[in-house]
Amino acid sequence: MLSLDPEAITLATLRKLWSGSPARLDDAALGRIDASAAAVARIVAGGETVYGINTGFGLLAQERIPHDRLAELQRNLILSHSCGLGEATPRHVTRLMIVLKLLGLGRGHSGVRRAVVDALQALLDADAMPVIPSQGSVGASGDLAPLAHMTAALMGHGWIDLAGERLPAAAALERMGRTPLELGPKEGLALINGTQFSTAVALDALFAAERVFGAALHAGALAVDALKGSVKPFDPRISALRGQPGQIRVAGELSRLLDGSAIVSSHHRCGRVQDPYSFRCQPQVMGAALDLLENAARTLTIEAAAVTDNPILFSGEEGDHAISGGNFHAQPVAFAADTITMALCEVASLSERRISVLVDPKMSGLPAFLTDDGGVNSGLMIPQVTAAALVAENRSLAFPASVDSIPTSAGQEDHVSMAPISGRKAATVARNAAGVIAVELITAAQGVDYHAPLATSAPLGALHAKVRAISPHLEADRYWADEMASLQAAVLHGAMSGGFLLGH
């Protein structure tokens, strides 16, 4: 059980939460939550008109709501905003979203009671995930529709996936031994204002990208050996002179992976002067992509525990203050997600070019399409086409959603971030890129086989064995789709990344 300190969240902790580690807020966070709830109670008792506590919302913010209708106000807010469409959000992303909401509330500036936190925690403890449509948020004024579906489930509306069984929310709560949550002043707004859905979707894409990137590094190194390519471009002195941190790390990783390869040693004095860019410029291209991923990781780590609802409560010697601002605007998340997409597009594009080189006898010096009996056998001709199709699809998804905006709420919310769209696109591109890397792993492993009895390095030999456990050496044409899909899944599960992690 991870004890979560919302004021000290790290990328490593977020990675554990994404992987499903159980967690709850620490005692200090609970104390801050109690203090913030007390501030709301004082504001209500004092009769002051405060947005979101005793007013309408959006363009209706000027409407004062009488005290005896405050509970109705919060209930109607949730039901009216539960209007998402599309496929259900994956369970692990919903779980991460709930944890992020707890982290934001745990900063103690949102004004919710302990009962709200307990209700969210109960969902985590019971593996009860609200069924949340993936479409309907524009990433400003908070992820209103997705977070409303989460909150509606706590109130007994909508649906809950209880440990894999989809039930009406009221029935799921009853089975959990919970009664529907009744919201107090400010609580509905605190729950649906915020960037937690956008951030969870973007973090899901980031951690998938981390695994894809690590696998691409390893596949690229194996491809260098398959080509009998040069390791000189990975000399650390070259990258040090440029100074880009991603490039320096990638060059170091490629050098490490190829160190000790008998294939490398066998062509130490060959006549080849330069390899194609997709081999030689891996530090420069992959390094630039790594720098984008690292920057996205920094942004999303900060956002994970940020206070992003509205209004935000401050209490002190000068009294209680509820200040309306714009922390719910998810532009930082949108930019981060779009840069993840850009980085992965280039990682996959570079990989596909290496595949193309290896299957081309004019470029590689290997048998055409890496099959000995060409003509009767097509070999790896069409897997390269699949990789090209995935790269083309990624390019069509690469236009940044973050530069788009459609005014909402009768013009009151006149600029929005589209962060959820950015995040969903990034997740799709990550899956596509994993498919391209799967094809490169098959191709590079086949190419290395042609250099036997010369062996590749120890780390690349271990990678080769993992590939061969899923996709045996190609002797004659066979049905490809299943093993390609299995390798794609292995990339996404981190089995081919060699433990590569962002933030190191």
Side-chain angles (χ1 to χ4, degrees), residues 3-170:
S3 179
L4 299 176
D5 176 1
E7 298 184 344
I9 289 298
T10 65
L11 185 65
T13 298
L14 292 172
R15 190 181 291 112
K16 291 177 183 178
L17 294 169
W18 177 70
S19 298
S21 293
R24 65 176 59 247
L25 290 174
D26 64 10
D27 290 341
L30 296 177
R32 291 191 293 267
I33 287 167
D34 290 341
S36 185
V40 170
R42 289 191 294 269
I43 290 172
V44 172
E48 181 183 355
T49 300
V50 177
Y51 172 72
I53 295 179
N54 49 18
T55 71
F57 308 105
L59 195 65
L60 303 177
Q62 307 307 317
E63 299 291 330
R64 172 68 186 261
I65 309 300
H67 188 275
D68 61 357
R69 302 194 70 184
L70 293 184
E72 181 185 359
L73 172 71
Q74 298 298 319
R75 176 180 177 275
N76 287 349
L77 173 69
I78 302 305
L79 296 181
S80 67
H81 286 55
S82 298
C83 56
L85 288 173
E87 295 182 359
T89 301
R91 296 181 93 258
H92 71 283
V93 178
T94 297
R95 183 185 183 281
L96 182 57
M97 181 191 73
I98 294 170
V99 175
L100 298 184
K101 177 54 75 174
L102 283 172
L103 288 172
L105 298 177
R107 297 286 296 276
H109 292 274
S110 300
V112 304
R113 295 164 299 144
R114 182 92 61 103
V116 173
V117 173
D118 291 343
L120 289 169
Q121 184 67 50
L123 294 178
L124 299 179
D125 294 344
D127 191 25
M129 297 297 107
V131 177
I132 298 178
S134 57
Q135 295 172 294
S137 173
V138 295
S141 291
D143 291 311
L144 296 173
L147 290 170
H149 281 281
M150 176 194 75
T151 308
L154 297 176
M155 299 163 60
H157 301 279
W159 298 85
I160 289 177
D161 180 335
L162 182 58
E165 182 182 0
R166 181 166 168 159
L167 298 168

Side-chain angles (χ1 to χ4, degrees), residues 28 38 148 192 223 313 317 335 350 364 388 423 425 440 478 480 491:
I192 68 170
L313 295 166
E317 294 180 358
F335 282 149
L350 202 67
S364 69
K425 290 199 299 125
E440 183 179 10
R478 63 176 184 256
W480 277 116
V491 170

Side-chain angles (χ1 to χ4, degrees), residues 284-336:
Q284 290 76 17
V285 179
M286 294 285 286
L290 177 56
D291 287 335
L292 285 182
L293 294 178
E294 293 283 12
N295 189 62
R298 284 190 290 272
T299 296
L300 296 176
T301 300
I302 293 169
E303 192 74 8
V307 180
T308 57
D309 62 273
N310 183 60
I312 294 175
L313 295 166
F314 297 91
S315 297
E317 294 180 358
E318 297 181 357
D320 302 311
H321 300 279
I323 303 176
S324 288
N327 277 6
F328 47 69
H329 200 295
Q331 200 70 39
V333 181
F335 282 149

Side-chain angles (χ1 to χ4, degrees), residues 334-335 337-346 349 390-403 421-422 424-426 428-430 432:
F335 282 149
D338 279 336
T339 57
I340 292 169
T341 294
M342 290 172 58
L344 290 175
C345 277
E346 287 303 282
S349 179
L390 292 171
V391 168
E393 182 176 333
N394 280 354
R395 289 171 180 166
S396 73
L397 293 168
F399 183 84
S402 57
V403 301
I421 300 169
S422 297
R424 292 203 313 276
K425 290 199 299 125
T428 299
V429 169
N432 290 346

